[in-house]
Amino acid sequence: MDKTQLTFYLLDAPMGAGKTTAIIKRVKTTNKKFLIVTPYLTEIERLCTNAGCITPAGNESKQKELLTLAKTQKNICITHSLFSQLTLETLKALEGYSLIIDEEVSTIEVLNYPEGFSKPDIGDLISAGYLSLNKDTQRLYTTKDKKCAGVLSPLYDCLSLLMVTNDIYMSGETYICCKKRTIWKFFSDITICSYRLPYSLLSAYCSLNNIATIYQHIENGEIVEGFSDIKPTNLQRLVLYTPQKLNCSCSLHWYQTHTEDIKTLVSSFNKWRERHIPAEYRKGYFWTTFKAYKEAVAKTTKKITAKKFVSCTAKATNAYSGCHVVGVFMQRFLNVPIKQFLSAQGIKVNEEEYALSELLQFVWRSNIRTEDTAPVYVFIGSKDLYARLNAWIAS
């Protein structure tokens, strides 16, 4: 393993604390060239307008446009999606840039197969000698002296490209992609901004790859060093509810084994919304569940709509700040194959704290992030998660 020193600066501050504003100030007042990575195109517009960044226009391949922009040595802003696709050529062009990532990007994830392919196809590539699997590390490699042809070539080409910036490991019955440690060394310094990062997958990734971390926080609008365990503002505006007569964890396993209870869960949400929420706020709602069960939830009744569904991974967006009602029909734990992969390396993630962090990020997409004084009503299907949030607020 590469043992050269590598450090991440982790800007840990609550939602609405002014992280993006502080980033803009840093870019405008620091004599460096910056690559800023943010989840959404709307945030790119904000950064381009206020921090003087440029971004690929999308007139051709954004990867090619980014390569051209990097050669200008100007400040650049791109999405998480484009960052995940960076090639070695583009990374070399970005060498020396100061990297700022707003909300953590995917560093460890389950392999996403090209359409029409699955795990047995990788086994076929190994059997044919196009790929090899290290028995000690369980890491997948391409065989350099062979070029794959035939029906498996799209999978081979996809994996070959992926392995330029990712290590792929076999973990149990699953293949796990892990960002190569070496990709970060192209940047002069790396800052990653989010909240409750000690409980994040990024923190586990740092432990896995021997990456040092220096915590920062926001103080009087400035980025200063040190970890500050503070809560977001407006907590007093939250009105929380969980159905007392329905005992469900709202985990993925619960959905798989309690399909008959989904209707009862959604019905409880609708009754609560109709009976306890003022009419002026009732229609301004959004809800979430596991993507695989989005349709199952939406089909239970006409009183909620799939148009109001928001992905549980939504972060760093103000698009739903007009909504005063939030329905949380899930409890998001760490992906099981990823948990098993980390556990095999001796790394544990506090799953209860992880689930709480994901809940907070989702709730803070609502009106709670504004200066409004009206209540924000949150329905939490899981009693455990409801209790955990209440305890955290009171602590």
Side-chain angles (χ1 to χ4, degrees):
M1 180 182 284
D2 179 11
K3 294 184 179 180
T4 56
Q5 181 62 52
L6 183 60
T7 301
F8 283 179
Y9 290 89
L10 303 182
L11 176 53
D12 192 293
M15 300 72 68
K19 294 189 288 293
T20 304
T21 301
I23 289 170
I24 291 170
K25 184 175 182 180
R26 172 177 282 187
V27 172
K28 293 174 72 172
T29 59
T30 306
N31 187 25
K32 288 183 177 182
K33 49 189 180 180
F34 289 91
L35 174 67
I36 306 175
V37 183
T38 190
Y40 303 105
L41 291 171
T42 50
E43 285 301 297
I44 285 181
E45 292 172 8
R46 177 184 176 189
L47 287 158
C48 287
T49 300
N50 295 291
C53 296
I54 55 177
T55 189
N59 297 324
E60 53 177 325
S61 163
K62 287 194 175 183
Q63 197 69 236
K64 289 182 180 179
E65 287 187 43
L66 178 58
L67 185 60
T68 302
L69 294 180
K71 294 174 181 177
T72 68
Q73 302 291 287
K74 293 182 179 179
N75 295 329
I76 302 170
C77 188
I78 62 173
T79 60
H80 282 199
S81 177
L82 185 55
F83 182 81
S84 70
Q85 301 166 30
L86 290 185
T87 63
L88 191 57
E89 183 183 15
T90 306
L91 284 166
K92 288 179 179 177
L94 290 165
E95 189 165 7
Y97 267 77
S98 180
L99 175 64
I100 299 178
I101 301 177
D102 186 16
E103 298 302 340
E104 57 178 300
V105 292
S106 295
T107 50
I108 306 174
E109 56 188 343
V110 174
L111 174 64
N112 186 22
Y113 293 94
E115 187 175 355
F117 295 98
S118 60
K119 184 192 171 190
D121 296 312
I122 293 182
D124 290 342
L125 286 170
I126 294 172
S127 298
Y130 295 115
L131 299 176
S132 62
L133 188 68
N134 185 296
K135 292 183 179 180
D136 296 324
T137 64
Q138 293 296 292
R139 182 177 163 189
L140 199 64
Y141 292 89
T142 56
T143 306
K144 294 183 179 179
D145 60 347
K146 291 201 174 189
K147 174 63 179 175
C148 180
V151 294
L152 291 177
S153 60
L155 174 61
Y156 177 82
D157 293 342
C158 174
L159 294 173
S160 297
L161 182 62
L162 194 60
M163 281 189 267
V164 173
T165 54
N166 291 266
D167 294 324
I168 301 178
Y169 297 92
M170 187 175 182
S171 177
E173 297 300 313
T174 309
Y175 283 99
I176 303 292
C177 291
C178 187
K179 285 282 182 223
K180 285 184 181 290
R181 189 181 191 274
T182 51
I183 71 167
W184 306 105
K185 297 198 294 183
F186 289 97
F187 302 102
S188 62
D189 54 89
I190 300 136
T191 301
I192 302 175
C193 316
S194 194
Y195 183 47
R196 289 169 54 87
L197 282 165
Y199 310 112
S200 68
L201 192 54
L202 176 68
S203 181
Y205 173 83
C206 290
S207 297
L208 180 68
N209 288 278
N210 193 31
I211 298 172
T213 56
I214 296 176
Y215 276 89
Q216 299 175 323
H217 64 279
I218 302 292
E219 198 169 290
N220 299 321
E222 300 287 343
I223 300 173
V224 296
E225 288 197 4
F227 179 77
S228 180
D229 188 13
I230 58 175
K231 293 182 173 67
T233 57
N234 295 335
L235 282 172
Q236 75 283 354
R237 292 175 55 201
L238 289 177
V239 178
L240 306 179
Y241 176 82
T242 191
Q244 297 301 317
K245 295 181 179 180
L246 184 62
N247 187 21
C248 59
S249 68
C250 286
S251 65
L252 182 58
H253 182 261
W254 180 85
Y255 272 90
Q256 292 167 340
T257 56
H258 292 76
T259 53
E260 71 281 358
D261 290 331
I262 296 175
K263 186 174 182 179
T264 307
L265 174 65
V266 179
S267 175
S268 180
F269 168 73
N270 285 320
K271 288 178 181 178
W272 164 76
R273 191 159 56 97
E274 292 167 357
R275 296 173 182 176
H276 299 287
I277 296 174
E280 63 265 34
Y281 301 128
R282 209 171 290 158
K283 292 183 179 180
Y285 73 94
F286 61 92
W287 60 273
T288 194
T289 188
F290 299 99
K291 187 176 180 180
Y293 289 91
K294 171 186 172 182
E295 294 303 322
V297 168
K299 286 179 180 179
T300 60
T301 175
K302 293 182 179 179
K303 292 183 178 181
I304 69 167
T305 170
K307 292 180 180 180
K308 299 283 190 175
F309 171 84
V310 175
S311 171
C312 63
T313 59
K315 295 180 180 180
T317 176
N318 295 315
Y320 312 101
S321 60
C323 296
H324 286 77
V325 182
V326 184
V328 183
F329 305 148
M330 64 179 296
Q331 183 168 194
R332 191 174 178 218
F333 292 112
L334 201 62
N335 182 290
V336 172
I338 291 176
K339 178 183 175 181
Q340 291 171 342
F341 170 71
L342 291 172
S343 181
Q345 310 300 320
I347 297 169
K348 293 184 178 180
V349 176
N350 186 323
E351 289 208 79
E352 290 188 350
E353 294 292 351
Y354 176 84
L356 177 59
S357 295
E358 293 299 311
L359 172 65
L360 289 167
Q361 284 282 3
F362 187 77
V363 170
W364 250 258
R365 299 311 104 210
S366 70
N367 185 262
I368 196 73
R369 65 188 297 106
T370 73
E371 293 303 314
D372 198 347
T373 57
V376 172
Y377 303 88
V378 183
F379 176 100
I380 303 172
S382 164
K383 281 190 176 64
D384 288 344
L385 190 56
Y386 168 84
R388 203 171 301 136
L389 178 55
N390 267 316
W392 178 80
I393 291 171
S395 66

